[in-house]
């Protein structure tokens, strides 16, 4: 079994309920192809580095997936035809970092507090 980190960027006008539907849809595709979702993170609405299809922002969803290569092939095939998505990226990793939350608001607040003191 291979380990993958997979991130998708949805359009900025996608509602929170649609984000949840996208997460469930792609989780089911992974499970249907004998893969396993280890962790799902919703990173929220973030600025894009450059315009993508006239969008300045995008809603990021990050998956940590355990499975074979055919899981990723099927996942990316479905994402390529989805009009709600702007981009997707899959990276194969040696092990998962399940501890760090890079986009949690509480950590940002703690950093600001330490800079003030």
């Amino acid at each position: 079994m291979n380990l993958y980190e997979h991130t998708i960027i949805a359009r900025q006008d996608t509602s929170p309920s649609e984000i949840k539907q996208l997460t469930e849809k792609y989780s089911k595709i992974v499970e249907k192809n004998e893969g396993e979702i280890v962790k799902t993170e919703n990173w929220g609405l973030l600025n894009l580095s450059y315009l993508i299809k006239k969008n300045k922002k995008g809603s990021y969803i990050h998956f940590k997936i355990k499975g074979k290569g055919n899981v990723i092939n099927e996942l990316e095939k479905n994402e390529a035809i989805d009009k709600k998505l702007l981009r997707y990226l899959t990276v194969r990793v040696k092990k998962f970092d399940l501890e760090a939350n890079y986009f949690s608001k509480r950590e940002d607040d703690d950093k600001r507090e330490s800079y003030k003191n």
Side-chain angles (χ1 to χ4, degrees), residues 95-108:
K95 67 176 190 168
F96 291 134
D97 181 11
L98 299 173
E99 306 298 315
N101 290 329
Y102 296 106
F103 294 96
S104 72
K105 298 197 188 273
R106 189 170 57 226
E107 287 179 10
D108 293 341

Side-chain angles (χ1 to χ4, degrees), residues 19-113:
I19 295 290
K20 189 174 181 182
Q21 288 174 348
L22 284 172
T23 305
E24 291 171 1
K25 174 183 173 183
Y26 293 119
S27 296
K28 286 179 185 174
I29 290 172
V30 169
E31 291 166 4
K32 191 171 91 173
N33 289 289
E34 300 173 7
E36 177 189 350
I37 300 283
V38 177
K39 187 175 181 182
T40 304
E41 299 173 4
N42 187 353
W43 290 345
L45 191 66
L46 300 172
N47 290 327
L48 299 172
S49 297
Y50 53 89
L51 285 177
I52 302 175
K53 299 179 186 172
K54 299 180 182 177
N55 289 279
K56 292 181 181 180
K57 296 183 177 197
S59 295
Y60 285 69
I61 307 167
H62 185 75
F63 299 95
K64 295 186 188 293
I65 302 170
K66 187 186 294 185
K68 297 182 180 173
N70 65 334
V71 172
I72 300 303
N73 291 339
E74 189 66 29
L75 196 60
E76 289 182 349
K77 184 171 75 174
N78 283 285
E79 290 169 347
I81 59 174
D82 195 339
K83 299 286 185 200
K84 293 179 184 173
L85 300 183
L86 298 173
R87 291 281 193 276
Y88 56 88
L89 175 72
T90 307
V91 179
R92 186 173 168 195
V93 295
K94 294 189 179 186
K95 67 176 190 168
F96 291 134
D97 181 11
L98 299 173
E99 306 298 315
N101 290 329
Y102 296 106
F103 294 96
S104 72
K105 298 197 188 273
R106 189 170 57 226
E107 287 179 10
D108 293 341
D109 294 339
D110 292 343
K111 287 179 186 173
R112 288 187 194 131
E113 293 284 327

